[in-house]
Amino acid sequence: MKEFTFKTGGVYPEENKMTKDSPFVPLTPPAIAVIPLSQHIGAPNTPIIKVGDRVKIGQVIGSANAFVSAPVHATISGEVVAMELRPFPLGTKVQSVIIKNDFKEEWVGDLKGIKSLESSSKEDLIKNIRDKGIVGMGGATFPTAVKLSPPKDKVIDVVIANGAECEPYLTTDYRVMMEYSEKIINGLLIEMKITEAKHGIIAIETNKKDAVLLLEENVKKRRIDNIEVILVKTKYPQGGEKQLIKAVLGKEVPVGELPLEVGAIVQNVGTLKAVSEAVFEGKPLIERGVTVSGSAIKRPGNYTIRIGTTVTDIIQQTGGLTKKLRKLIFGGPMMGIAQSTLEVPVTKGTSGILFFGEEVLEMAPQDEMPCIRCSRCVDWCPIGLMPLLIDHAWRREDIKLTETLNATDCIECGVCSYVCPSKRHLTENVRNAKQKILKQRKIEAAKKAAFEKIKALKEKKAQEAEEKLGEGEKVNG
Ligand code: SF4
Ligand code: SF4
């Protein structure tokens, strides 16, 4: 079988998929759930319940009218005991709904899905996906219903199921493929119907050949002839949208553009499972598969965890820690975010939680040394950026130059820092530059909008004054 891959850059960090053979085990729902009201890219939700209310599982507790948004549901039944700012995996604090579990496990109503794909309209399917709060579960958390609603002039040829899972340690997607292959195919068929894509591709890295065989067998068994399962090389960041498209279709997504520009939509396999459950079972996104791993946790494994369960609960339910915890990461070691508190909850975007002990100090950022201009960071950057130059410009506070050097294209994969022999904090600085540029662009856009508004107001007033004057002249004349 042919192996596909992207050409520019990429690395092969040592794999540590110790939880590969651990099937999902459900954790007991937490006694207290901390459910953030903004778990997606886009407009935050506003609470539609109040302290003292009784809620049931699957009840919408936060929603927004904005197009780019996804509702948030109660993940346990019980009483809303508080609404306050709580720690969030991105290192910020987010308005959260705190629910005290009554352990009655009461659902808001009977879950109802569609009868068949053939008899459902595209609009019904999208509505189901939107109402059930589905977002990209590979970590991007982009609302799925929005991703499936491209502008009318864009033609989508192919939906790619992303089963690459290139982060060392993470095995969530692998387990989803091994345990829920039917649902992944259902999700893909649903998205192909919505987007009118003629083809579906399931792309899986070569280190998961059993998942390839299983999905291939299922596709064949169901006599689906427009879905193909393909192998992509085990290489980081093979699971990046743009890298996967380059590998699979040989197409380059233009700078600053989305995959739909080349007629493609990429969807994480876990998201496809959730899409299938939303559409066929009417199930909202109240829980997800999470890889719990690292040297400091007693029982590493894959667990199905209710959204809102805090790390403290997870440690308790997985047998505790084996050593002093020195580093806690949400996500994988390459792109994940280090946490400073155990009170942070699992959210829709949490694919893994890693616990490390003393030995992590060797992995900790070391003292930076001067750049020796070896060009490794340039050679290995999968986007073709020049991290050393962006880093220099950022240190000189030359934001204009970082923009010219396309810092906003950085996918924050961490490869440049990983390969730099001088241990320069490249990813961090490129990310900072990117955020600053995006922030400035937002401010500029807001200024422009305000200016246009004032201009329109002035013009309206001038016109009204002119009209009044005209009327006055008519009377006097
Ligand atoms: S973090 Fe950004 S700059 Fe560094 S290698 Fe990845 S894409 Fe390139
Ligand atoms: S890899 Fe490090 S040392 Fe080499 S050019 Fe890039 S920043 Fe400089």
Side-chain angles (χ1 to χ4, degrees), residues 39-40 57-60 62-63 69-75 107-114 124-137 143-145 271 273-287 307 348:
Q39 299 184 47
H40 55 265
I57 303 173
Q59 181 176 332
V60 176
S63 74
S69 190
V72 172
H73 303 77
T75 61
W107 278 80
V108 69
D110 286 340
L111 301 185
K112 272 197 203 91
I114 61 158
D124 283 348
L125 298 174
I126 290 203
K127 187 177 180 311
N128 262 315
I129 293 169
R130 181 177 293 119
D131 291 351
K132 301 299 180 272
I134 312 299
V135 303
M137 292 166 78
T144 304
T271 316
K273 169 187 173 268
V275 163
S276 172
E277 289 174 347
V279 168
F280 284 112
E281 298 163 36
K283 185 180 170 188
L285 191 49
I286 58 138
E287 60 189 7
I307 286 158
K348 294 178 183 182

Side-chain angles (χ1 to χ4, degrees), residues 369-380 386-389 391-392 395 415-417 419-426:
M369 288 173 284
C371 171
I372 55 169
R373 303 246 160 195
C374 65
S375 88
R376 283 172 68 100
C377 58
V378 180
D379 296 341
W380 298 110
M386 292 193 276
L388 83 158
L389 296 185
D391 174 57
H392 282 187
R395 287 171 202 253
V415 166
C416 48
S417 296
V419 297
C420 175
S422 296
K423 306 293 167 208
R424 314 261 310 156
H425 300 170
L426 299 171

Side-chain angles (χ1 to χ4, degrees), residues 112-307:
K112 272 197 203 91
I114 61 158
K115 290 210 171 61
S116 79
L117 201 51
E118 293 70 33
S119 61
S120 303
S121 70
K122 280 169 31 172
E123 292 69 30
D124 283 348
L125 298 174
I126 290 203
K127 187 177 180 311
N128 262 315
I129 293 169
R130 181 177 293 119
D131 291 351
K132 301 299 180 272
I134 312 299
V135 303
M137 292 166 78
T141 67
F142 191 76
T144 304
V146 180
K147 201 176 208 179
L148 296 173
S149 311
K152 288 212 162 46
D153 59 326
K154 302 288 175 209
V155 177
I156 303 299
D157 298 314
V158 58
V159 180
I160 303 172
N162 187 351
E165 197 167 55
C166 51
E167 274 270 11
Y169 284 90
L170 299 191
T171 58
T172 313
D173 291 348
Y174 170 71
R175 290 310 320 171
V176 168
M177 288 190 278
M178 294 306 288
E179 295 175 48
Y180 301 99
S181 56
E182 289 287 329
K183 290 188 179 181
I184 292 171
I185 295 168
N186 287 346
L188 194 50
L189 289 171
I190 292 166
E191 297 208 354
M192 286 163 67
K193 168 148 184 169
I194 292 173
T195 57
E196 295 179 18
K198 291 186 187 66
H199 308 286
I201 293 176
I202 304 172
I204 305 172
E205 275 191 341
T206 46
N207 58 355
K208 308 171 191 71
K209 285 203 172 117
D210 40 0
V212 174
L213 294 176
L214 183 66
L215 278 147
E216 250 181 355
E217 199 183 297
N218 276 341
V219 169
K220 252 191 220 155
K221 215 164 55 190
R222 291 172 66 171
R223 297 172 195 273
I224 302 168
D225 55 13
N226 58 349
I227 290 183
E228 188 189 359
V229 184
I230 65 161
L231 269 181
V232 287
K233 200 173 167 186
T234 305
K235 181 172 155 183
Y236 179 84
Q238 189 73 259
E241 276 194 343
K242 292 187 177 182
Q243 285 65 47
L244 200 60
I245 288 172
K246 181 74 186 158
V248 174
L249 307 176
K251 289 183 180 172
E252 198 92 47
V253 179
V255 170
E257 299 289 355
L258 295 170
L260 57 91
E261 288 302 323
V262 295
I265 277 182
V266 179
Q267 198 83 97
N268 165 269
V269 285
T271 316
L272 291 171
K273 169 187 173 268
V275 163
S276 172
E277 289 174 347
V279 168
F280 284 112
E281 298 163 36
K283 185 180 170 188
L285 191 49
I286 58 138
E287 60 189 7
R288 63 158 299 150
V290 181
T291 297
V292 174
S293 190
S295 59
I297 194 85
K298 194 161 183 188
R299 288 204 300 269
N302 286 295
Y303 297 95
T304 306
I305 305 180
R306 294 280 171 94
I307 286 158

Side-chain angles (χ1 to χ4, degrees), residues 237 377 380-387 390 407 409-417 426-427 430:
C377 58
W380 298 110
C381 173
I383 303 296
L385 300 178
M386 292 193 276
I390 301 173
D409 276 355
C410 170
I411 56 167
E412 303 176 24
C413 65
V415 166
C416 48
S417 296
L426 299 171
T427 308
V430 179

